[in-house]
C-alpha cells in the first residue's frame, strides 16, 4: 500500500513525539521528516517533498522564514501541492479565516490534537478541507475602541513598524528593513500596542484586520 507522506514541524520535542505517535497508529500515513524551526522545515520540505505538512503556527522568532502568517504565506506560495495542516492555540476567527484564505488544508486546536488529528488527516487524504467548529468572535474593536483616535496617537515610525509586522515580517527583519536595532524596533512596537490598548500579538493582528488597517 502506498503511504501518504507527512512532515511534522514544532519547536517542542514533546509535541513532535505526540503527533508522531498518533500518526503511527494509522498505517496509511508515514512520517518522513521532522523540523524544530522554520528554516529547518523548509530544508526538510525540499529534501523529502511530502504530501502533508503538520506545522505549529508559532515557531522560533529567530528562524529565517519567521512564523505565523508569514511562514504560512511562504509555504502556500512556494509549495502549492503541499497540504498544510496548522496546529495552533489561536482562536480568533479573523486569523483562522486568513489561514484558510492563504490556502491551508486544515487547522487544529493544539488543546484537542489527540481527538482531532486523525480526523483531519482523513479529510486531507480525501482532498477535503478540515475546519474547526466556528468559535465565538471576540472582537477587539467592538469593546469601545476608537480607531481613528488611537491611530492618530501613533508616531510615523510606529505605524510603519505595525504595517510591516502585520504583513508578516519578524522584528529582526523589520530592524534590518528600517536600519535600526531589534531592541529599538521592539520598544516602539510595544509603545504602539500600548497606545492601541492591545495586550498581545494576536490582539494586535486582530485589531488591524478588523479595522481594515494597512489594506
Amino acid at each position: 500500500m502506498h503511504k501518504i507522506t507527512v512532515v511534522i514541524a514544532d519547536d517542542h520535542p514533546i509535541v513532535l513525539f505526540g503527533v508522531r505517535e498518533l500518526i503511527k497508529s494509522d498505517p496509511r500515513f508515514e512520517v518522513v521528516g521532522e523540523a524544530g524551526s522554520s528554516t529547518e522545515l523548509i530544508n526538510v520540505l525540499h529534501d523529502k517533498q511530502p504530501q502533508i505538512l503538520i506545522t505549529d503556527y508559532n515557531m522560533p522568532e529567530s528562524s529565517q522564514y519567521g512564523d505565523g502568517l508569514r511562514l504560512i504565506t511562504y509555504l502556500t506560495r512556494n509549495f502549492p501541492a503541499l497540504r498544510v495542516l496548522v496546529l495552533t492555540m489561536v482562536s480568533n476567527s479573523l486569523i483562522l479565516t486568513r489561514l484558510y484564505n492563504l490556502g491551508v488544508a486544515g487547522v487544529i486546536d493544539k488543546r484537542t490534537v489527540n481527538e482531532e488529528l486523525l480526523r483531519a488527516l482523513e479529510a486531507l487524504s480525501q482532498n477535503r478541507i478540515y475546519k474547526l467548529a466556528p468559535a465565538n468572535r471576540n472582537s477587539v474593536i467592538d469593546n469601545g475602541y476608537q480607531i481613528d483616535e488611537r491611530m492618530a496617537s501613533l508616531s510615523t515610525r510606529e505605524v510603519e513598524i505595525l504595517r510591516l509586522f502585520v504583513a508578516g515580517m519578524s522584528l529582526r527583519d523589520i530592524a534590518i528593513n528600517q536600519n535600526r536595532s531589534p531592541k529599538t524596533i521592539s520598544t516602539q512596537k510595544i509603545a504602539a500596542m500600548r497606545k492601541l490598548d492591545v495586550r498581545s500579538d494576536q490582539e494586535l493582528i486582530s485589531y488591524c484586520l478588523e479595522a481594515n488597517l494597512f489594506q
Side-chain angles (χ1 to χ4, degrees):
M1 180 180 65
H2 178 70
K3 293 192 175 185
I4 298 172
T5 54
V6 181
V7 162
I8 312 167
D10 198 292
D11 60 325
H12 294 93
I14 192 169
V15 175
L16 286 175
F17 175 80
V19 171
R20 186 194 320 126
E21 292 303 303
L22 281 170
I23 295 173
K24 279 184 180 179
S25 68
D26 191 322
R28 295 174 298 171
F29 302 94
E30 178 185 9
V31 177
V32 296
E34 298 177 7
S37 71
S38 54
T39 301
E40 185 181 1
L41 170 59
I42 301 306
N43 292 333
V44 171
L45 291 179
H46 282 299
D47 182 42
K48 301 297 184 180
Q49 299 184 18
Q51 294 161 278
I52 293 175
L53 166 65
I54 302 172
T55 181
D56 191 6
Y57 182 78
N58 294 307
M59 297 288 277
E61 189 175 286
S62 60
S63 294
Q64 178 182 349
Y65 299 94
D67 71 341
L69 294 175
R70 180 186 174 204
L71 174 61
I72 300 304
T73 300
Y74 182 91
L75 291 171
T76 54
R77 286 180 179 174
N78 290 275
F79 300 91
L82 182 66
R83 297 185 66 73
V84 180
L85 183 62
V86 180
L87 305 180
T88 181
M89 297 285 282
V90 173
S91 59
N92 183 274
S93 60
L94 283 171
I95 294 178
L96 296 178
T97 298
R98 178 62 66 91
L99 286 173
Y100 286 113
N101 287 342
L102 286 173
V104 304
V107 179
I108 291 180
D109 189 320
K110 291 186 80 169
R111 292 161 292 197
T112 59
V113 67
N114 290 338
E115 295 80 20
E116 291 193 83
L117 182 60
L118 293 182
R119 288 201 296 268
L121 287 175
E122 171 70 23
L124 269 58
S125 72
Q126 298 177 10
N127 291 321
R128 292 188 287 110
I129 300 297
Y130 184 79
K131 288 199 173 185
L132 288 167
N136 292 330
R137 180 171 176 175
N138 181 20
S139 174
V140 293
I141 289 178
D142 291 343
N143 298 330
Y145 290 102
Q146 300 298 317
I147 301 170
D148 292 339
E149 234 177 76
R150 294 189 186 282
M151 285 300 295
S153 71
L154 300 179
S155 69
T156 302
R157 284 188 170 180
E158 288 168 348
V159 171
E160 181 63 7
I161 289 169
L162 292 188
R163 184 186 71 80
L164 295 174
F165 182 76
V166 172
M169 292 181 67
S170 68
L171 295 184
R172 183 189 64 174
D173 289 340
I174 296 173
I176 294 172
N177 177 275
Q178 298 292 299
N179 195 28
R180 284 179 282 160
S181 73
K183 184 177 180 180
T184 298
I185 297 299
S186 178
T187 299
Q188 292 184 317
K189 172 177 167 282
I190 291 171
M193 290 174 67
R194 188 177 298 117
K195 292 176 182 179
L196 294 178
D197 196 19
V198 295
R199 294 167 294 280
S200 68
D201 288 350
Q202 180 182 336
E203 283 193 8
L204 174 62
I205 293 172
S206 298
Y207 186 98
C208 293
L209 290 175
E210 291 186 59
N212 291 316
L213 303 176
F214 314 125
Q215 299 298 308

